[in-house]
Structure formats: C-alpha cells, structure tokens
Amino acid sequence: MKTPLLLTLLMCAQASAATPAAHWQAMSGQSPACRAGVSQALDYLKTLPSTSMMAVRDGQVLASYGPVERPEQVYSVRKSVLAMMYGPYVADGTIALDRSLASLGIDDVGGLLPLERTATVRDLLAARSGVYHAAANPGDDAEAAPQRGSQTPGAYFLYNNWDFNAAGSVYEQLTGQDIYQSFERNLAQPLQMEDFQLSQQHRNGDPARSRHLAYHFHLSTRDMARLGQLMLQQGSWNGRQLLPADWVKRITTPLTRAADMHPPSTARRQLDYGLLWWIPSVPAGSPLTGAYMAWGYYGQYILVVPQQNMVISHQRVVDPAQARTARKVSPAEFLRLAALLAQAPCP
C-alpha cells in the first residue's frame, strides 16, 4: 500500500530538517547528564581496538572518536551500500528482482549448474541463491557450504560472497554503469561526502576462481554516517528522494531470522537479515529496538536507530601484516557501545 501524499511530504519535511550541511555540525548545549552518558560510552569504546567512531543524533554529531575523516576499506559494508544503490533501479524497472541468472546470462568459471542458474536476483540479495561456486574473495561462510546442486535457490541461507559479488555484476549489467562511478554520481555527490575519492575505489579478488570480483569501498567514518543518515531519513536528502522510502523499509525488514541461518555459528550472532542489511535481535525495551546495520569484517559498522533518530558509524583498521591475528570489534561489542550512546539522555 502506498503512503498517502500528505504523509510522504511530511516525512520528507521532517527528514530535510535534520539533514546535515556540507560539514557536520557538533551538537551544542549538551546537559551534564548527556555529557556523562556520552563519557561512559567513550570509556567503553577505549577498551575496544576501535580506530574511529561517530555518533549522530538529529543530524548533529553527538560524539566523535579517532580519524573520522580518513577513508579506509570497509569490507562487507559494501554489500549494504549496493542494496541502497539497487533501490532507484528496482523502482523504475531497470532491475527486476525475479530475473533468473540464466535469463541474464550470468555464469562463471567452469560453469554454473542448471539448478544454480534458476536463482533470481532477489536470491542473491537475500544470500539464498543456492549457488556454491567458489567466490573471488574470502571472508564469508563458504567453508560450511552444502554440496553444489543440493539446495533449491531461495530455500537456504548461507552468507556467501559469490552471491554478493554476482549481485554487483548484475547491477553493472542492467544499469550499464560502473558501480563506483554510479555511487559517486547517485550518492556521494548529492550527500556531499567530504572524503570519497573515486581513484581509491577498485575491484579485487582472484579471477581464476570467479569472474565476479568484489567491489570493496574505501570510505571515511564521517561519510559512512551520511549513508546511515540517508537511510534514517527514508532516502530523502535536501528535498530529493535519492532512495525510494519503501525500498529502505524493504531491505531492512527481516527476511531470514538468525535461527534459520547456516552454519550454527552464524545463527548464534543473533542478527536477522533483510536484503544485504543486518537487523539485530534485541530484547524488549532495548534502546536499539528497530535498529538495522551494515557490518564489515574486523568491525566496520553503520548502525541506524530510527527510534532514537540516531546513526553510529565505526571503523576498525587492521595492518595487513596482522590481518590473521588482529582482534575484531564483534557485533556484540559494537552493539553494547551503541546502546550506551543511544541511552545517553541527550535530546
């Protein structure tokens, strides 16, 4: 059911009022209780191996930590960004989510199985393709994948980079645009990102394993917060609807519950999944009720908390030489930090 026009205009007006300017503004006039709550959160943050963090409430910076202006690789946050980019093209029919891989001519090194080629674009975004071909890059749950051809597309959740990388290939094929150039034009420029550099962005992975390469992004913590703010504002920015509001809701609504995920270690994270966005399972009364997030390896996060009119972005940067042994900031640790910030009594 479509939102009535009057309500849509009201939502856009409210969102526009909170939209940050070209440079983020710090929240002024914080009460002693607010400052004490934020200080408690920052004290906890300092016990984590965090590199940077920015918390935004009502479009203003509530708290900032570390080099928030420095672009870094954000790993699997890229997948949630791609979901955002899909929105306008799904709405105008350029991308049809029910198209099969076979109908799009999507294949891979050594060939996909006939059953695998029946997977749809929607299945890719939901991590339910049933395609267990090797991905071009690591960092997923592929080691726990069932035998190829054993799962019907749409029936089985596995966090599998093949799905996400192929979704990037589909985006470029159907829109006729390079992912990074499209991001710059459709999101970075209208959001007035301060640190995004097109020259820093490049695909990576092993083309001998898969022709669908990963599309990692390099983003600063404060520019990540702008992406979260756009989601918080239901896709509206300075009077423009950059993303369809119903698409924002769709990709952040649980499609797969944590208990239905594979392998069991993924289920134990207590994170539900929409379309390339994670939705924390939190107890009743939590300050994070209704929140959703992008999550990248080592501890990159964009958390949106609509009930608190809040966005929290976070980075954990790791030296490649220490990549195998580096301590991560887990979702549980990050969400504890987020809860402390969200419950700080800051109007």
Side-chain angles (χ1 to χ4, degrees):
M1 183 172 65
K2 295 184 178 179
T3 305
L5 178 59
L6 183 58
L7 180 56
T8 300
L9 293 174
L10 180 59
M11 289 169 57
C12 291
Q14 291 172 337
S16 179
T19 302
H23 303 288
W24 288 99
Q25 300 297 312
M27 182 181 291
S28 60
Q30 294 182 12
S31 68
C34 171
R35 290 195 297 270
V38 171
S39 179
Q40 180 184 9
L42 292 177
D43 285 344
Y44 174 67
L45 173 65
K46 292 170 186 176
T47 70
L48 305 176
S50 302
T51 302
S52 58
M53 184 279 302
M54 195 159 110
V56 175
R57 175 167 269 162
D58 299 325
Q60 296 183 315
V61 179
L62 173 65
S64 181
Y65 172 86
V68 298
E69 76 288 349
R70 191 170 69 198
E72 300 286 357
Q73 184 167 312
V74 296
Y75 299 95
S76 290
V77 167
R78 70 186 175 100
K79 299 157 189 174
S80 302
V81 172
L82 182 67
M84 297 171 71
M85 294 171 65
Y86 258 71
Y89 298 104
V90 172
D92 70 12
T94 299
I95 298 176
L97 297 182
D98 59 358
R99 289 285 300 274
S100 70
L101 302 184
S103 73
L104 295 169
I106 298 294
D107 211 331
D108 211 337
V109 176
L112 297 182
L113 302 176
L115 179 63
E116 293 174 331
R117 300 191 77 214
T118 67
T120 66
V121 178
R122 183 183 294 102
D123 294 332
L124 299 179
L125 302 185
R128 286 176 167 270
S129 75
V131 179
Y132 305 124
H133 186 287
N137 63 305
D140 58 7
D141 292 328
E143 289 185 0
Q147 183 178 354
R148 288 186 65 184
S150 65
Q151 297 295 331
T152 302
Y156 190 94
F157 178 96
L158 184 82
Y159 189 79
N160 179 12
N161 276 338
W162 193 91
D163 288 11
F164 312 129
N165 296 345
S169 297
V170 168
Y171 180 89
E172 292 193 331
Q173 176 178 320
L174 294 181
T175 67
Q177 303 175 51
D178 171 81
I179 281 180
Y180 298 124
Q181 292 176 356
S182 178
F183 176 84
E184 181 181 49
R185 179 173 55 256
N186 296 336
L187 290 176
Q189 290 180 353
L191 294 180
Q192 297 178 289
M193 286 190 173
E194 298 180 76
D195 310 304
F196 179 79
Q197 300 174 39
L198 185 59
S199 61
Q200 280 191 313
Q201 320 303 321
H202 55 86
R203 286 180 175 268
N204 55 48
D206 183 355
R209 288 172 56 85
S210 173
R211 66 182 63 165
H212 306 290
L213 300 183
Y215 44 90
H216 287 110
F217 280 82
H218 284 74
L219 298 171
S220 69
T221 304
R222 63 184 179 183
D223 282 348
M224 290 164 65
R226 287 183 182 266
L227 291 171
Q229 189 71 22
L230 178 64
M231 294 290 285
L232 178 67
Q233 296 175 185
Q234 298 294 300
S236 176
W237 197 272
N238 285 331
R240 292 179 58 191
Q241 199 68 35
L242 301 181
L243 308 177
D246 60 350
W247 181 251
V248 171
K249 181 178 181 181
R250 183 174 185 178
I251 63 180
T252 59
T253 296
L255 181 64
T256 302
R257 296 295 180 180
D260 298 324
M261 293 180 178
H262 308 90
S265 58
T266 302
R268 287 193 292 269
R269 292 169 182 159
Q270 296 187 310
L271 300 172
D272 299 335
Y273 204 67
L275 295 178
L276 303 181
W277 280 82
W278 298 94
I279 302 96
S281 300
V282 297
S286 167
L288 303 182
T289 298
Y292 50 87
M293 70 182 187
W295 169 27
Y297 203 69
Y298 296 117
Q300 286 75 41
Y301 298 97
I302 304 173
L303 180 75
V304 182
V305 193
Q307 272 198 168
Q308 309 292 337
N309 204 20
M310 194 169 192
V311 171
I312 303 171
S313 55
H314 177 279
Q315 293 229 36
R316 163 67 168 124
V317 179
V318 170
D319 186 320
Q322 301 174 333
R324 293 193 177 186
T325 58
R327 182 186 165 196
K328 305 176 181 69
V329 177
S330 71
E333 291 172 322
F334 171 71
L335 291 171
R336 179 182 172 188
L337 168 68
L340 288 170
L341 288 164
Q343 66 192 15
C346 304

